[in-house]
Amino acid sequence: MNVLLMAYGTPYRQEEILPYYTDIRRGRPPSEALLQELEERYHLIGRSPLNEITFAQAVRLEAALNATLPLYPTPLRASPGARVRGPARVYHGTKHWHPFIAEAVRAMAEDGVRQAVGIVAAPHFSARSIAEYREKVEATLAELGHPLEFRLVEEYYDHPGYLQAVANRVLEQLWRLRKPEQALYLFTAHSIPEKAAQDGRYQAQVRATAELVARALNLTHWDTAWQSAGRTPEPWIGPDVNEKLEEARALGFSEVVVTAVGFPSDHLEVFYDLDYEAQNTAARLGLRLLRTRSLNADPDYIEVLRDLVLREWARFSAPVRGV
Ligand code: FEC
C-alpha cells in the first residue's frame, strides 16, 4: 500500500520566504511591501511548525497502517524491531515548499510504485485547495510518463472520527469558560476568492462540519467565519473572523471559542491570524477569546487518516500487492 500525504508547506528560513511566496503566486514574485508584510507575520510567530507536523503525521500514519494491516510479509516476532517493515509506505509532499509534491511523486516513481492513495491534511474540498493538490500530482505523473494509478481522498468534513476529534477539543475549552452556555462558538476555515467558491461546495462543507460538531455538543450559539483571506484585489468569501467578533460583541457575547476546522495543523494562519490578530481584535472589544487545540499528529487524527486511506485503497479494482 502506498500513500501520498500532502499539506500546504512552509518556509524553514527567512530567506526562503520570497521563493515560497513566489510559488504561492504561481511564479509571480510579490511586491516588496507584500513580502515585508509576510516576513513580519512569520517574525511575529517565531516560525511555522507545519513541515514538522506534516512529517510527524506521515511517520505516524505509516506506523498505524503497518500496525493494523493484516498483510505482514513475514511471521510476527516478539518485537517488531526499531521500525516495523510493513507493507504500507507513506510518502509526503507539500504544495509550496520542500519536499514538494513533485519530489514525493518522483520518489514514488523511482520506487516503482504503481498504485497510490493521496490524502490532504485539509478536510474540506475547494477549487483552491484539494483540486490544486490533485493537479500537482497529475502534472508530475504526466511529466514523468510513469504509469501510476492515483486515487485521492477529496474530502472528509463529515467523517465521524474527525467530528469526534474536533468536538473533544472544543469540549476541552468548556471548563475554561465562565458561562459555557452563553458563549459563542465560531468555526473557521481559510477564505478563498469568491470566484472559486461559486458552486458553494466548500462553504456547505465547512458549515456541515460546524453544525455536526455543534449538534454533538449541544451548543446553543454557534456560527461559521472565514479567516486568512489573501492579499489580492479580488473579493474573498466572508465574513471574516474579526468582523464576526465585532458582531458578537454587538450582540452582547462576552466569551467566544474559535475552532479552526479548516486546518488540522498548527501553522502561520493559526498562530498569526487567530492567536495574534483575532486575539488583538477580541482584546480591543473586551471579549474573552479561547482557541481550541489543533489536531496535529495526535492519535485520533491519525486514526481518521488511516481509516480514510484504507477505504480509498479498497476502491482500487485489483490492488497490486507489494508496490
Ligand atoms: O504555516 C505556513 O507557513 C503556511 C500556512 C498556510 C496554510 C494555508 C492554507 C490554505 N491556503 C488556501 C488558499 C490560499 C489562496 C491564496 C493563499 C495565499 C497564502 C499566502 C500564505 C499562505 N496562503 Fe494559503 N495557506 C497558508 C499560507 N492561500 C503565506 C500568501 C500571503 C497571503 O496572501 O496571505 C492566494 C494565492 C494567490 O495569491 O493567488 C487562494 C487554502 C488553504 C486551506 C487548505 C490547505 O491547507 O491547502 C484554501 C496552511
Side-chain angles (χ1 to χ4, degrees), residues 7-11 20-21 24-26 28 38 41-42 45 48-50 95 120-122 126 128-130 133 190-193 202 228-232 234 236 262-263 266-269:
Y8 204 82
T10 186
Y20 169 74
Y21 201 171
I24 290 176
R25 292 167 49 87
R26 298 162 197 249
R28 287 176 298 119
L38 184 58
R41 280 193 271 153
Y42 280 111
I45 66 159
S48 166
L50 183 56
K95 204 171 165 202
V120 183
S126 96
R128 294 308 302 269
S129 56
I130 310 301
Y133 286 90
H190 201 297
S191 178
I192 55 172
Y202 181 56
S228 319
R231 278 71 178 161
T232 63
E234 60 201 327
W236 289 61
F263 304 125
D266 283 326
H267 46 63
L268 179 74
E269 317 295 66

